Amino acid sequence: MRVLFATAEAYPLAKTGGLADVSRALPLALRKLGIDVRLLMPGYPRAYVRIENPRIVAKITPALGVDDATLVEGTFPETDLPVYLVDSPSLYRRNGGLYQDDAGKDWPDNALRFAFLAHVGAEIALGRISLGQEWAPDIVHANDWHAGLLPLYLSLHSGPRPSTIFTTHNMAFQGNFPADWLTKLGIPGACFQAAGVEFYNQISFLKAGLRYADRVTTVSPTYAKEILTPEFGCGMEGVLRQRREDFVGILNGIDDSLWNPAVDPMLPRTFHLSDISGKRACKAALQQEMGLKVAPDTPLIGFVSRITHQKMADVILEALPWLCAQDVQFVSVGEGDPAMEAGFGQASELYSANASVVVGYDEPIAHRLQAAADILLAPARFEPCGLTQLYALKYGTLPIVRRTGGLADTVVDATATSIADRSATGFVFDEATSEELISALGRALSLYREPLIWRRLQLQAMAQDFSWDASATQYAALYSAASGMPVDLGAKDQHVVLADQESTRQAAI
Ligand code: ADP
Ligand code: GLC
């Protein structure tokens, strides 16, 4: 089976968040199952310089007013994952971010930048762009609003076409643009209606994906239920309810070639389930790096996140005065909303004895902080899946999360019962208020003072199996159902592997 996986970002070529992690890890996990997945993404300069063996494989026929595009094929660094970059200097070669300029303003031509990505995906899918070899996908897997027009463009084709899957990683990002883009993007007027791409009189790329794909997925089972309701559906709950039969939530996993404390090259010392002493060394090194007192027994609380309303950064700011009055240390690395970023900056000045804040995006610090911290703050008002809490678990750092979306699916609250039955892995609270956050922090800090229990919780957290294997198998089954093509998953072997992991997990606990 051949799959074209269309995405706007993929680590380490280009990343602003979890989509990039998934866009690398899931295709690699699917390739392990024998599925020939290839990536399609925009040819940002940063991606171009990072792929291996780049070569131009096709000149792209002018379309949507874009006449400078070629298709560049390469492979992901240190993997066998093929990637096609749409190289259009006018659309993607510019200084600034993936979606915004340096001042944080959306690029004014984002509609065209991502419609063109979708257009090229459709042309490849229909065999109209020759890749210099016999390769055409059986499945097109489009991710987030950026690739939302791809299922629509393919649905306009009357002949045979690959089946389409659309995954929404976050319903709050919708790619809505004024209706006068319609003709420029090659969308027939007939599609501009409530049963099509029209959303409050705009063109919605997200809605296009949800409406026109053969199957729709999101990234956790709980978020899949939540977004059928007005509270979480961001206005698209009706659209999703109509797709109920074709809609499923599949939990994200951890790419343990990148996020694994036993081999992570970004850590000063590695550690693993049977010997976590290296975690102490990581803590001491980070305390030093952040200008904090090297204090092995002071609880270190980390926050690695976009600084946004979704991630409850405002509520964390409210809780900081209380937190910093305790005998703890707080370290954060994050960027996002300028006013809240400033708030974190001020807090680190005000509480310089025990708080240290990095404003910005820094992958190595994110790894070092996950390894060094005792507790990770990972609350959210809504969370499609969330990866940082999964990384925390793997690094023996107990997460504090709100009971929503993928956070609810992945963290087990430490209560008397769950501590006794050894299922507890973190701390979960319900309301998005600083009182509830503080109360969860209070519970975490009191358990921290009980080293034997704490150690057991850490080991339970580290022993959780959030590897991609199981989720990739679910995607493979979905591809198979959508295309009618059998996929040979070596199901027997798969079972043996999963059973082995389970027994290792039980033994470790
Ligand atoms: P989201 O995609 O909603 O931001 P996720 O938890 O799914 O949330 O993924 C966030 C990803 O981005 C993780 O890999 C996390 O380590 C990373 N990340 C977030 N903020 C930063 C930052 N300031 N520096 C480095 N990595 C960051
Ligand atoms: C989005 C979501 C996050 C999810 C990530 C990858 O950024 O906000 O919850 O983990 O996509 O699917």
Side-chain angles (χ1 to χ4, degrees), residues 108-325:
D109 56 351
N110 270 348
L112 180 61
R113 294 173 76 232
F114 294 105
F116 195 70
L117 176 72
H119 164 78
V120 174
E123 293 291 286
I124 294 175
L126 296 173
R128 291 181 187 152
I129 293 180
S130 157
L131 301 174
Q133 52 185 291
E134 292 221 347
W135 197 90
D138 306 299
I139 293 280
V140 170
H141 188 160
N143 289 273
D144 265 354
W145 72 263
H146 322 101
L149 292 189
L150 185 33
L152 186 159
Y153 286 148
L154 281 176
S155 77
L156 299 174
H157 182 71
S158 51
R161 60 160 179 88
S163 307
T164 52
I165 313 284
F166 178 74
T167 297
T168 168
H169 296 257
N170 195 329
M171 296 293 289
F173 299 109
Q174 307 191 327
N176 298 335
F177 300 98
D180 53 20
W181 276 102
L182 215 56
T183 331
K184 282 180 261 178
L185 305 183
I187 303 174
C191 296
F192 194 65
Q193 49 159 312
V197 293
E198 186 270 341
F199 188 62
Y200 293 99
N201 219 22
Q202 292 202 302
I203 306 166
S204 171
F205 282 32
L206 172 64
K207 189 172 172 185
L210 300 176
R211 273 254 180 254
Y212 291 97
D214 298 320
R215 304 290 174 117
V216 176
T217 79
T218 190
V219 289
S220 72
T222 293
Y223 192 62
K225 286 191 208 123
E226 288 173 341
I227 57 183
L228 297 173
T229 68
E231 191 186 348
F232 294 95
C234 301
M236 301 279 180
E237 56 279 2
V239 180
L240 275 171
R241 279 204 295 267
Q242 287 174 4
R243 300 300 321 263
R244 224 175 189 147
E245 296 295 301
D246 308 314
F247 173 50
V248 63
I250 303 178
L251 195 67
N252 286 335
I254 298 176
D255 179 343
D256 65 6
S257 67
L258 292 176
W259 288 95
N260 180 353
V263 295
D264 189 336
M266 297 188 201
L267 305 188
R269 276 272 299 280
T270 54
F271 56 95
H272 48 87
L273 200 48
S274 47
D275 176 9
I276 65 169
S277 57
K279 189 167 171 69
R280 282 174 88 80
C282 291
K283 181 169 174 179
L286 189 93
Q287 286 170 324
Q288 206 156 26
E289 176 183 355
M290 293 294 154
L292 297 171
K293 190 166 151 216
V294 177
D297 297 325
T298 303
L300 175 60
I301 296 158
F303 182 51
V304 180
S305 181
R306 289 187 283 120
I307 307 282
T308 61
H309 187 255
Q310 176 191 344
K311 305 290 183 179
M312 286 173 55
D314 51 330
V315 176
I316 293 179
L317 277 174
E318 263 173 57
L320 274 187
W322 176 86
L323 185 60
C324 292

